[in-house]
Amino acid sequence: MPLLGSFCLLFALALAGYSFIAGIFGVARKDSAGFRLAETARRAGIVTFIAVTGAALALVWAALNNDFSLAYILEHTNRALPTPYKLAALWSGQEGSLLFWSWLLAGYGLVLRLRHKIDPRLFATTSTVLAGIQVFFLVLVTFVANPFGIMGSLPPDGNGLNPLLQYPEMVIHPPMLYLGYVGFSLPFSFALAALIMRYPGEKWIHITRRWTMVTWLFLTCGIALGAHWAYSVLGWGGYWGWDPVENASLLPWLSGTAFLHSVMMQEKRGMMKVWNVWLVFITFMLTILGTMLTRGGAVQSVHAFAQSAIGTWFYWFLGIIFVVCLTAYIKNRDHLKSENKLESLVSRESSFLFNNLVLLAACFAVLCGTLFPILSEAVRGYRITVGAPFFNKVMVPIGLFLIFLTGIGPLLAWRNTSLGSIKRNFMVPAALAFGLGVLLIFVGLKPWTDLPYFYAWLGFLLSGLVVTTIASEFIRGGLVLKTKLNTNLAAAMVHLTRRNMRRYGGYIVHVGVVLVIIGLCGAAFNQEKEQEMALGDKLQIGHYTLVGQEYTQDDNANYSSEAAILDVYKDGKPLVRLTPEKREFKASNQGTTMVANHSTLAEDLYVIYEGKNPDTGHPIIKAFVNPLVIWIWIGVLVVAFGTGIALVPNAAAVKAPVASAIAVVAMDNAMQPAGAGK
Amino acid sequence: MSPSIQVIVEIGCSLFAAIALIYIFLPGRDADTGVTKTRLSYLYERKEVVYDNLRDLNFEFKSGKFTQADYEGMRSNMESEAARLLAEIEQLEAAKA
């Protein structure tokens, strides 16, 4: 297998190199010989995928067959490791994960190259840019971080997988995150290609829109799975610790989200072309930065690998990308001239602009906080870490302002909105949101007592505003169609959504985001308690009483474990039996926590077994009551559902006849739902 | 790895490389060269977008989002934009003919 893997990698590198160079010459020549050359480049790109797949399969095969002659397999697996985790070995170490990056990139490239007939010239240039990125990653896995390095002797067993990664979600989380990271290579390649070839119009944006949405969805799911893993495995009672590697995944998500919004301004009004191109460039550079932080060991994190020379390669790659983007921009900036100007500060355009500025401000704040330890080390010689308090202080107000914009944006008109229209659209949502705020105070939330309470109260209030504005959009549109189609309101709203999946799918995504915000607001009311618990001892937290019933031990080939069996009572009534556990993995001599969590729509009872007190021999139990956490996970599911809706083409698309007179179009289509022609 | 398996792997790799090279360098003669996008095709795209914007506006007005004055102002702007596009399309088509 090492022989096959190494051959596949070298061959893939040669093919990607050819695809890149032949692609450059092919697209530079405008004659038929140039197109033939570009066609060979395209085909070389397709075969690159097969070659990289061969290398990835060789590594997986080696993992499944305990081939400890490979240093990578020795380091990241062992004989007793369950099969799914052996598969996960492909992305659990630095070398394997870079191979995985290359494979996903080749996979995205394959889809792109198979769909080249949509616009052969644009796709040929895009494919060339993609091949350039592919070359970089294949150089890394072939010469710098080769997963097929061979051991001098053949050890009887491997060192095992990091225990923190031996959790079902860890089999899905990294691929999701990587699909998101790698996927942003495509919008980047399209944007750079369109800029280099001075592609007229916004068609490249239409083509990349779905790629970007799919990529964004993968990244969203990846981040959410990571948060859920942290909540379930790390055992500190939270889901987001502003860890540098967590932040690294958030950065491209923030800029990608900004792009998904601002791109609408370019499509609709031909505005913000420079902004959009640079947003895509920055998003891609942030994915490379994220990969560097995760795989290069530049920052210290629960996820990051040890310091290695690979970081220098990424710095150079980032530098080259920046120079290429800047050169392409300077050379072609006149091509990005805006067709319209911002007419009013109270308009849909300005709400998108503010949304973008806020998202980028958030991105900048997270970037500064994440890179501060590196910068401080470079300047002062020692690392100063920026912790959660900094991020919370900066990001919470930014997030709340973003939710406010999410609430008002859909109600504003393109170009300009008068005071009359504002009154007409905002009276009901604002009154309902205000009513919700008063109701929350009435039921006992006192926002004036503490800043986190105030933020939570504001978060709930603004969430109410967003939900009511979205509901009003569905209801207003539904009422128009209800009359026209002579049907009920629910059917009319379904019809409305089917006629403009992107817009109404987007609204569903916003509802999902609101649910996530509601879940995050719950953190203001968290409670925690730690206590030694002998048999029969009680721990009281919130409405819950935990009673120690039994303490057990277990042993299998992979790990030994200790667990506490606790009976839980709520307000004196028996509720559930929880079994928090602590595992000690044999191959790696590392321990991990298995959290016991009783989750309801109102709150989570989250219990950890922390081991025994060496002095008394009594088990230590730590319990948390975390309100509303489940809404975060529900919200992410809603976001995924909404994105799925937005990806589906519109039903019964109606195109206006080309020869129609403007006035006729305006009048005849008066009853068409918004976006029916898309 | 036993010598016989190594030979099989080597033969397999060589075969794969040979097939790949044939696939890459002997492409079909129907390689699609595509067409260079013109100003005219861009204007057609833009016209569709303006029509869609008009439909959006009409629908939102019907749903009661805008006052009559706002609607008429925005519609007038969009119709002017569409008229400019149509005029340029007509001009370019005439020149082409």
Side-chain angles (χ1 to χ4, degrees):
Chain A
M1 283 304 123
L3 177 69
L4 177 65
S6 298
F7 165 78
C8 285
L9 278 184
L10 268 173
F11 192 50
L13 177 59
L15 289 167
Y18 176 78
S19 181
F20 180 54
I21 292 165
I24 290 174
F25 285 106
V27 296
R29 288 179 65 162
K30 310 282 183 203
D31 55 7
S32 59
F35 285 117
R36 278 199 295 276
L37 195 59
E39 174 63 8
T40 62
R42 184 183 75 86
R43 291 182 179 221
I46 290 171
V47 183
T48 304
F49 170 74
I50 299 169
V52 183
T53 303
L57 285 177
L59 194 65
V60 170
W61 179 270
L64 292 176
N65 289 283
N66 302 314
D67 185 355
F68 300 122
S69 67
L70 288 182
Y72 183 80
I73 301 300
L74 177 79
E75 285 296 322
H76 299 287
T77 69
N78 62 307
R79 290 183 191 280
L81 192 68
T83 305
Y85 299 129
K86 284 187 177 174
L87 289 173
L90 177 60
W91 51 79
S92 58
Q94 188 186 67
E95 297 86 352
S97 61
L98 288 171
L99 173 59
F100 189 55
W101 221 105
S102 303
W103 181 67
L104 291 177
L105 185 63
Y108 276 119
L110 174 76
V111 179
L112 172 97
R113 287 163 184 132
L114 291 178
R115 293 169 60 86
H116 70 120
K117 289 199 172 173
I118 294 172
D119 191 325
R121 286 169 193 248
L122 176 64
F123 275 59
T125 315
T126 306
S127 164
T128 304
V129 177
L130 211 59
I133 303 167
Q134 186 84 64
V135 166
F136 169 73
F137 279 94
L138 285 171
V139 164
L140 277 189
V141 284
T142 308
F143 300 114
V144 188
N146 192 320
F148 295 103
I150 295 181
M151 295 295 296
S153 58
L154 192 62
D157 202 358
N159 298 340
L161 187 66
N162 183 342
L164 292 174
L165 305 179
Q166 294 189 40
Y167 190 77
E169 269 165 297
M170 265 295 133
V171 181
I172 316 165
H173 159 65
M176 281 283 177
L177 210 54
Y178 268 51
L179 278 164
Y181 271 180
V182 182
F184 276 116
S185 305
L186 275 159
F188 166 78
S189 301
F190 269 112
L192 188 58
L195 183 61
I196 289 170
M197 63 193 287
R198 299 173 71 86
Y199 191 82
E202 272 63 68
K203 195 181 167 193
W204 72 270
I205 285 208
H206 290 283
I207 296 169
T208 51
R209 192 173 65 204
R210 285 200 178 163
W211 289 102
T212 312
M213 282 165 70
V214 169
T215 294
W216 182 86
L217 177 60
F218 281 132
L219 193 56
T220 306
C221 292
I223 291 170
L225 282 168
H228 194 261
W229 166 79
Y231 189 58
S232 310
V233 171
L234 295 185
W236 59 281
Y239 35 78
W240 192 267
W242 297 107
D243 176 277
V245 175
E246 287 174 347
N247 295 349
S249 64
L250 190 64
L251 292 170
W253 186 88
L254 289 167
S255 58
T257 307
F259 174 70
L260 279 174
H261 286 88
S262 68
V263 83
M264 278 184 261
M265 286 176 67
Q266 188 167 344
E267 284 179 79
K268 287 263 180 193
R269 307 237 25 233
M271 294 168 71
M272 293 182 78
K273 293 181 182 182
V274 174
W275 181 272
N276 282 329
V277 159
W278 274 101
L279 262 186
V280 182
F281 290 169
I282 287 168
T283 302
F284 176 68
M285 285 189 253
L286 289 173
T287 65
I288 297 296
L289 181 77
T291 310
M292 183 184 84
L293 293 177
T294 326
R295 305 298 143 187
V299 290
Q300 284 166 4
S301 153
V302 67
H303 308 74
F305 297 97
Q307 289 276 0
S308 73
I310 212 165
T312 314
W313 287 78
F314 278 102
Y315 286 125
W316 276 102
F317 187 51
L318 270 175
I320 291 167
I321 293 168
F322 181 72
V323 169
V324 169
C325 292
L326 191 64
T327 309
Y329 168 69
I330 290 170
K331 214 176 153 195
N332 303 293
R333 65 184 184 278
D334 59 311
H335 173 68
L336 299 174
K337 212 173 137 192
S338 188
E339 287 155 46
N340 290 295
K341 285 183 180 163
L342 194 65
E343 291 170 28
S344 163
L345 273 179
V346 189
S347 61
R348 186 81 61 88
E349 291 94 319
S350 65
S351 84
F352 278 133
L353 185 64
F354 281 125
N355 151 297
N356 265 239
L357 290 173
V358 173
L359 280 165
L360 285 192
C363 193
F364 184 71
V366 175
L367 184 67
C368 287
T370 307
L371 295 183
F372 197 75
I374 300 172
L375 298 174
S376 64
E377 190 175 34
V379 175
R380 305 186 70 171
Y382 54 90
R383 285 181 178 236
I384 302 170
T385 307
V386 175
F390 162 79
F391 289 106
N392 290 336
K393 199 170 183 179
V394 176
M395 294 298 286
V396 173
I398 289 178
L400 290 171
F401 186 56
L402 204 57
I403 292 295
F404 171 68
L405 289 175
T406 310
I408 62 166
L411 299 182
L412 297 173
W414 291 99
R415 293 167 192 261
N416 189 15
T417 311
S418 71
L419 197 61
S421 292
I422 291 173
K423 271 187 193 166
R424 180 183 288 222
N425 293 329
F426 283 96
M427 288 299 276
V428 174
L432 287 172
F434 181 75
L436 177 68
V438 173
L439 183 71
L440 287 170
I441 292 171
F442 186 70
V443 297
L445 206 165
K446 297 185 177 76
W448 55 86
T449 54
D450 200 4
L451 191 61
Y453 288 173
F454 172 72
Y455 282 148
W457 175 77
L458 199 57
F460 291 132
L461 189 147
L462 291 173
S463 298
L465 177 75
V466 176
V467 170
T468 45
T469 56
I470 292 171
S472 77
E473 282 289 289
F474 274 95
I475 292 167
R476 280 173 201 263
L479 286 173
V480 175
L481 286 185
K482 178 178 170 275
T483 315
K484 188 191 175 203
L485 302 172
N486 195 22
T487 181
N488 62 50
L489 184 60
M493 287 197 287
V494 170
H495 193 79
L496 180 77
T497 307
R498 291 187 62 213
R499 288 296 186 97
N500 195 343
M501 301 293 267
R502 183 185 175 197
R503 178 172 176 171
Y504 292 96
Y507 286 153
I508 295 170
V509 171
H510 285 180
V511 171
V513 172
V514 163
L515 294 179
V516 172
I517 295 292
I518 289 172
L520 296 176
C521 287
F525 311 98
N526 285 357
Q527 301 173 56
E528 66 174 89
K529 197 169 183 183
E530 189 181 68
Q531 188 178 308
E532 265 188 45
M533 286 182 74
L535 283 178
D537 280 0
K538 291 179 180 174
L539 185 156
Q540 184 74 41
I541 182 165
H543 295 283
Y544 303 97
T545 307
L546 281 62
V547 182
Q549 288 297 339
E550 199 180 341
Y551 298 99
T552 64
Q553 291 184 329
D554 197 10
D555 192 71
N556 64 35
N558 197 20
Y559 59 82
S560 57
S561 64
E562 288 179 19
I565 298 173
L566 307 166
D567 280 347
V568 180
Y569 298 83
K570 188 176 184 187
D571 297 327
K573 292 177 188 162
L575 180 70
V576 69
R577 175 168 278 194
L578 294 178
T579 316
E581 192 180 328
K582 193 175 171 67
R583 290 178 182 173
E584 195 71 27
F585 286 81
K586 292 173 182 172
S588 58
N589 284 325
Q590 288 178 299
T592 184
T593 311
M594 301 304 285
V595 175
N597 188 17
H598 177 69
S599 190
T600 64
L601 293 179
E603 62 195 11
D604 284 10
L605 174 64
Y606 179 101
V607 185
I608 305 158
Y609 177 82
E610 294 199 309
K612 286 180 180 158
N613 183 331
D615 298 330
T616 61
H618 291 154
I620 303 166
I621 301 294
K622 192 167 187 179
F624 298 79
V625 174
N626 298 335
L628 303 173
V629 172
I630 200 169
W631 291 101
I632 297 173
W633 322 126
I634 293 172
V636 172
L637 290 176
V638 175
V639 167
F641 174 70
T643 313
I645 295 276
L647 283 166
V648 176
N650 293 336
V654 181
K655 289 279 174 193
V658 171
S660 296
I662 300 306
V664 174
V665 172
M667 296 306 291
D668 286 355
N669 293 300
M671 295 303 285
Q672 288 286 349
K678 285 189 179 172
Chain B
M1 188 187 291
S2 70
S4 58
I5 293 177
Q6 187 160 341
V7 170
I8 292 169
V9 170
E10 283 170 1
I11 291 172
C13 290
S14 309
L15 208 62
F16 169 54
I19 293 168
L21 294 175
I22 290 168
Y23 169 72
I24 293 165
F25 292 109
L26 287 178
R29 293 188 178 277
D30 60 336
D32 192 348
T33 58
V35 282
T36 305
K37 205 172 163 192
T38 60
R39 171 83 184 161
L40 193 60
S41 56
Y42 160 65
L43 289 173
Y44 277 129
E45 278 173 25
R46 193 72 211 145
K47 190 192 76 174
E48 286 300 318
V49 171
V50 175
Y51 280 9
D52 281 344
N53 291 349
L54 265 167
R55 287 192 200 100
D56 272 346
L57 181 69
N58 283 322
F59 187 76
E60 290 190 329
F61 175 63
K62 288 278 169 194
S63 70
K65 272 179 84 169
F66 311 125
T67 60
Q68 184 75 32
D70 275 3
Y71 167 68
E72 279 170 8
M74 286 186 279
R75 189 176 135 181
S76 164
N77 276 339
M78 285 186 196
E79 286 180 355
S80 305
E81 192 181 349
R84 275 198 305 274
L85 287 168
L86 285 179
E88 195 179 345
I89 288 172
E90 229 170 82
Q91 208 177 6
L92 289 173
E93 278 180 339
K96 209 166 82 174

